[in-house]
Amino acid sequence: MSYYLNSERHLDPGPIYVRENGQLHMVNLALDGVRSTLQKPRPFRLFPKGFSVELCMNREDDTAQKEKTDHFIFTYTREGNLRYSAKSLFSLVLGFISDNVDHIDSLIGFPEQIAEKLFSAAEARQKFTEPGAGLRALQKFTEAYGSLVLCSLCLRNRYLVISEKLEEIKSFRELTCLDLSCCKLGDEHELLEHLTNEALSSVTQLHLKDNCLSDAGVRKMTAPVRVMKRGLENLTLLDLSCNPEITDAGIGYLFSFRKLNCLDISGTGLKDIKAVKHKLQTHIGLVHSKVPLKEFDHSNCKTEGWADQIVLQWERVTAEAVQLRKTSAPPTAAQRFYGKRSRAEAPVKCPLADTHTNSSEKLQFYKEKAPDCHGPLLKCETVSSQESKKSKKRAFEESEKEQNNSSQSSKQKYVCLAVEDWDLLNSY
């Protein structure tokens, strides 16, 4: 207070105007007597000297800024002027639910068209990449919509994605095509055990090329089908190539796949190939192909569904994390000795993936299509040809009866369970 009272600096009152007889006159206050009679004004200061104010519009919190602008759509006119319009109530509600999608109790019975838009909104906000919350949100969609979320999944040579996002991958249901080639899973991997789950009983195409599998892994994978008639019972295509630990005994477990139409066992550890060919043709009707089959060129299985972009996000995030580890990790003793320059890592290639592989080395099998008996009869067909067809039909029926008898006897043989099968069943 004393600062303001003792301050010698006065505010200039400025000119003073007086109205007399309808006219305005300015009073001259330059006289010392008049100035001395004026009361010393108190200086008006809200803040101490040296205080400054800075406009901090760009320093607002991102969430607060997003809440202010999220309700509007900003566009530009032809003249270059900024124009904004309010969003619809549906867009506002959709954005709010997508921000809190992990708190939804259930989506069962919710319309598919609205659910797809909700999934896209949550994906745009990268809610599925968040740890913990992303898994819960993805499970809500897969439980309600199954194959719409993802009907086909290709993780070929994506072993890092499998190790980082294993729980998310296990949440997918009703897949029809699954490609796990060149992932080095092994017999004891958790994902291989998940293949026998009821949630993946819809898989019809399974690629397990170059996964370090042995007879034990094949036995574990086929146990639910052989014993309980569940699991991969709808499998029509199976690729077990480039697994040298699979022997003749492991091929015998595949006879339980009665719907199998295509099989690739190239690069396995078979000893008696001729006997294996005969068994496959006798038990499940598979014939060895002399030319490579197009079903095993890995072009049919692609990631398809609502979550196809999420899988790409997983691959990108995983690659960035690996690159960050390489750059931030301290140099090893070998790198310090030879220098910090690291050698260029060549991309890992699956064996027998080259196009110049000899077709004779491939052991690919297919099931021949049955002849069409309902086609139109030719006009030039004679009675003798009809009789020959009848005789062929009788021979075909007799061969079918013999095959049925042999299949029944083979079924009776395979109903007898070994001690290892009982131990495997007790583990479920």
Side-chain angles (χ1 to χ4, degrees):
M1 184 65 71
S2 61
Y3 170 79
Y4 296 107
L5 293 177
N6 297 330
S7 177
E8 296 180 356
R9 186 178 178 182
H10 306 290
L11 293 176
D12 186 9
I16 298 177
Y17 297 90
V18 178
R19 182 180 293 275
E20 292 182 357
N21 298 326
Q23 294 181 355
L24 191 64
H25 302 279
M26 184 178 66
V27 180
N28 188 9
L29 298 179
L31 301 176
D32 296 338
V34 177
R35 185 177 293 276
S36 61
T37 57
L38 291 175
Q39 187 179 1
K40 294 181 180 180
R42 183 180 301 174
F44 183 75
R45 286 184 178 176
L46 294 177
F47 303 100
K49 189 176 181 180
F51 182 83
S52 62
V53 179
E54 182 181 359
L55 190 61
C56 302
M57 292 183 62
N58 295 330
R59 296 185 180 180
E60 293 184 359
D61 188 12
D62 294 338
T63 57
Q65 185 72 16
K66 183 179 178 181
E67 291 177 358
K68 291 181 180 180
T69 60
D70 196 32
H71 295 173
F72 301 96
I73 301 175
F74 295 93
T75 56
Y76 285 94
T77 61
R78 294 181 178 179
E79 293 78 11
N81 300 325
L82 183 64
R83 180 178 61 186
Y84 67 91
S85 58
K87 290 184 178 181
S88 63
L89 181 60
F90 176 79
S91 300
L92 297 177
V93 174
L94 192 68
F96 177 78
I97 298 177
S98 60
D99 287 332
N100 303 275
V101 67
D102 56 310
H103 299 290
I104 297 177
D105 291 335
S106 177
L107 288 171
I108 298 176
F110 203 66
E112 299 174 357
Q113 295 82 357
I114 308 299
E116 185 177 2
K117 294 182 179 180
L118 179 60
F119 191 92
S120 300
E123 178 187 348
R125 289 167 167 78
Q126 296 185 354
K127 300 296 293 184
F128 298 108
T129 58
E130 297 179 359
L135 176 59
R136 292 194 300 270
L138 190 60
Q139 288 175 346
K140 301 300 179 183
F141 283 96
T142 54
E143 290 174 358
Y145 304 103
S147 60
L148 292 177
V149 179
L150 209 65
C151 62
S152 178
L153 178 60
C154 180
L155 294 175
R156 184 169 58 253
N157 205 15
R158 300 292 188 272
Y159 48 90
L160 293 178
V161 177
I162 294 177
S163 61
E164 294 290 337
K165 300 292 182 180
L166 179 60
E167 295 300 326
E168 285 82 353
I169 294 172
K170 290 169 62 177
S171 65
F172 292 123
R173 297 167 175 264
E174 300 181 9
L175 291 173
T176 57
C177 183
L178 182 59
D179 193 348
L180 300 174
S181 302
C182 308
C183 289
K184 311 292 184 181
L185 297 181
D187 296 333
E188 303 298 330
H189 198 276
E190 188 176 351
L191 186 57
L192 187 65
E193 183 179 354
H194 180 68
L195 292 177
T196 61
N197 198 338
E198 193 68 23
L200 293 181
S201 60
S202 59
V203 174
T204 58
Q205 299 182 16
L206 180 60
H207 298 268
L208 293 174
K209 178 181 182 179
D210 189 21
N211 270 286
C212 304
L213 298 178
S214 65
D215 295 342
V218 178
R219 180 175 63 86
K220 182 184 298 185
M221 184 177 62
T222 58
V225 183
R226 289 186 289 111
V227 180
M228 297 178 289
K229 303 301 179 182
R230 51 185 294 187
L232 297 172
E233 57 182 354
N234 296 317
L235 200 63
T236 59
L237 184 145
L238 179 61
D239 187 358
L240 293 176
S241 59
C242 305
N243 291 288
E245 298 296 326
I246 297 179
T247 62
D248 302 26
I251 301 300
Y253 297 123
L254 303 178
F255 298 157
S256 57
F257 294 140
R258 310 303 300 180
K259 298 181 181 180
L260 199 62
N261 293 328
C262 297
L263 176 65
D264 190 356
I265 52 176
S266 306
T268 54
L270 301 180
K271 296 181 180 180
D272 194 351
I273 298 178
K274 186 176 181 180
V276 170
K277 291 180 180 179
H278 179 70
K279 290 180 180 179
L280 288 174
Q281 185 175 5
T282 303
H283 293 283
I284 51 180
L286 293 180
V287 182
H288 179 248
S289 176
K290 297 181 180 180
V291 295
L293 299 177
K294 63 179 182 179
E295 286 81 4
F296 296 105
D297 59 359
H298 297 277
S299 62
N300 298 326
C301 187
K302 299 179 181 179
T303 302
E304 297 178 355
W306 296 350
D308 54 352
Q309 296 299 319
I310 295 179
V311 178
L312 295 178
Q313 289 180 6
W314 292 347
E315 296 179 5
R316 184 174 62 254
V317 171
T318 304
E320 292 175 356
V322 172
Q323 188 66 24
L324 182 61
R325 292 173 189 172
K326 289 181 179 180
T327 55
S328 62
T332 60
Q335 289 178 347
R336 285 193 296 268
F337 181 78
Y338 292 104
K340 294 183 179 180
R341 184 180 63 181
S342 60
R343 62 181 179 88
E345 295 183 358
V348 180
K349 293 184 179 180
C350 294
L352 296 181
D354 299 332
T355 56
H356 61 270
T357 304
N358 191 0
S359 60
S360 61
E361 298 178 1
K362 290 185 175 295
L363 292 176
Q364 296 179 352
F365 298 83
Y366 69 99
K367 184 174 291 185
E368 293 180 337
K369 295 182 179 180
D372 189 8
C373 300
H374 301 282
L377 296 177
L378 298 176
K379 294 181 179 180
C380 59
E381 191 175 25
T382 57
V383 179
S384 60
S385 63
Q386 291 181 357
E387 291 178 356
S388 62
K389 284 186 177 181
K390 288 181 181 180
S391 60
K392 288 181 180 179
K393 187 176 180 181
R394 291 174 185 174
F396 180 74
E397 290 176 354
E398 291 177 358
S399 62
E400 278 188 344
K401 289 180 181 179
E402 292 177 359
Q403 289 181 359
N404 291 332
N405 295 331
S406 62
S407 62
Q408 289 179 0
S409 61
S410 62
K411 286 182 180 179
Q412 291 177 359
K413 291 180 182 179
Y414 285 101
V415 166
C416 299
L417 302 179
V419 178
E420 296 177 352
D421 291 336
W422 285 113
D423 295 338
L424 186 59
L425 286 176
N426 292 330
S427 63
Y428 283 94

